Amino acid sequence: MCGIVGAVSQRNIVPILVEGLKRLEYRGYDSCGVAVHQDGGLRRARSTSRVAELQAQADQDGIAAGTGIAHTRWATHGAPAVHNAHPHFSAGPNSGNPAGAEAVGRIALVHNGIIENHDELRAELKARGYVFASQTDTEVIAHLIDHLYSGDLLDAVQQALPRLKGAYAVAVFCRDEPHRVVAAREGSPLVLGVGEGENFVASDAMALAGVTDQIVYLEEGDVVDLQLGRYWISRLDTTTGRFGAVQREVKTVHAHSGAAELGPYRHYMQKEIFEQPVAIANTLDAVTGISPELFGDGAYRVFKEVDKVLILACGTSYYSGSTAKYWLESIARIPTSVEIASEYRYRDSVPDPRTLVVTISQSGETADTIAALKHARAQGMKHTLTICNVATSAMVRECELAYITRAGAEIGVASTKAFTTQLVGLFLLTLALAQTRGHLGEADEARHLKNLRHLPVAVQAVLALEPQVIAWSEEFARKENALFLGRGLHYPIALEGALKLKEISYIHAEAYPAGELKHGPLALVTAEMPVVTVAPNDALLEKLKSNMQEVRARGGQLYVFADGDTAIESEVGLHVIRMPEHYGALSPILHVVPLQLLAYHTACARGTDVDKPRNLAKSVTVE
Ligand code: HGA
């Protein structure tokens, strides 16, 4: 999603800003821009194309300076268009532009997030003579800071921030203070990068890889003043109503570059699907036995103090949480509810302090999930645990306990290896809770561990089904609708399969628990409707077979992923791919893999932009 990079240095920082944006590019964006303090004024380049094009434009226009800010935008307010791209400049009564010249004021600003009271602020600033050039919510901040500016940028920003409602990370500089950038965060991530005689700011430490490894993770409400060779962090003291200095630890962070090599693969998504055996093995690497301490010090005490689990997540992570509910209730015997974070955060729910709140997020920066976590805590639920792929993320810092999955950087917007490694983390959590609650004997522990350790090999065998899945995908590419069916543990897998197909092939897909078919969706079934069925050889198979008959009787085309030992044979209208082995409780981790491959190859056959599907972004840092 949106990215911010800013710098104050003696050297030309445009290459650093542009390189930083490139590192964040994979998260998805629709436009980008850079602004610098040059020749005593503000200069910028903006583009609705790729960062590479922005770089060419900046080079051509001779944009080069030591102070600047840059941005990749994922539009929330106003269309993806050059005039809405950041950085925004203030323009108004203080601009001092010669008649006829472009109205350029003295403030340049980039913003991640959403300003909820932008309408009210826009009306006020227009009345003061400010001229709006975009439809964004962001632009009000630039004009507001300009209005409050009287020679000290930090002071103007500190006055402006309390007037903003919503979530933001901002970076700002001023025409009248050439070697200064001020940045602030409230609800969107932001880090400070400390260099030798120069300072940087970014929405993710990854953007500064190779520039500095000295990172300060700014906290909500922090404002940082960056100058040459010095920085100063302050925050509002609500008792005095004044901003005061705060100290934050500088950490050495070896942030990796997001730009992983594609190797022999066509897309990152394909690479990431095929990396799953290694990602799962890495996630299990440090696990020698089941114990609560896998989730951090003090986990045993926490697990003893809870008798419920509440899982909060969005998108694919919501489906890993939904799968875990089946495990947690059947294996650990602990009542579990799973909530979509964006719903939970605003819902009037009944809090129970004896609940373990589990958040799931690949990036650990998902705005809705972080807000839901804070909402749960504010309601008195203090025991929190996250399953997350980024050890340095806000989510990990916010939660009492954590399990860090080791999927490695996931570049494709449609999550694959993050999902299966989340499932591994959630299965370990199930076993640790089962153990604490007296439901895991030694023999069971040994059996589950053996199955977990064999998973990478089992997933590898499923990946070998790719040619068969490709044959199906050619059929799917011609369809505009698809249904996915599953039962029990595999219903969330059907949901995830449908989501993958929607996200990257733009085929309308819906998933249902197979028993629900006759209660409505059966009306959609015709010869034109492919019905994908996740059919492991479990206790529900006979029920599922009846549901499949209901589809066949209406001429629907069934595409079944069955286990090797299942008596379902291919015939007209019934296509079967056999999974190499039946995997009991861990079967969802295997069954999701061919669904990922089906979505991927269908999207390739339709020629979509697989790694950057339209309208979507990777880490969803806005509400
Ligand atoms: N609301 C701003 C910034 C959007 C954003 O942070 N996206 O990730 C805009 O629409 O420009």
Side-chain angles (χ1 to χ4, degrees), residues 1-2 73-77 86 111-114 136-138 622:
M1 203 155 248
C2 293
R73 172 176 191 246
W74 185 81
T76 64
H77 293 59
H86 306 206
H111 161 229
N112 287 352
I114 290 172
T136 64
D137 51 336
T138 301
V622 292

Side-chain angles (χ1 to χ4, degrees), residues 401-416:
L401 303 171
Y403 194 82
I404 309 298
T405 53
R406 304 244 181 99
E410 191 179 63
I411 311 287
V413 166
S415 182
T416 52

Side-chain angles (χ1 to χ4, degrees), residues 94-116:
N94 307 315
S95 301
N97 294 300
E102 186 197 5
V104 173
R106 52 192 173 184
I107 299 296
L109 175 135
V110 290
H111 161 229
N112 287 352
I114 290 172
I115 302 304
E116 288 170 1

Side-chain angles (χ1 to χ4, degrees), residues 154-155 157-162 168 184 221-223 232-238 240-246:
L154 177 63
D155 183 58
V157 172
Q158 288 176 339
Q159 285 186 61
L161 296 180
Y168 54 79
D222 283 357
V223 183
W232 194 71
I233 305 172
S234 59
R235 60 187 292 112
L236 188 64
D237 180 336
T238 41
T240 62
R242 300 171 72 87
F243 277 82
V246 280

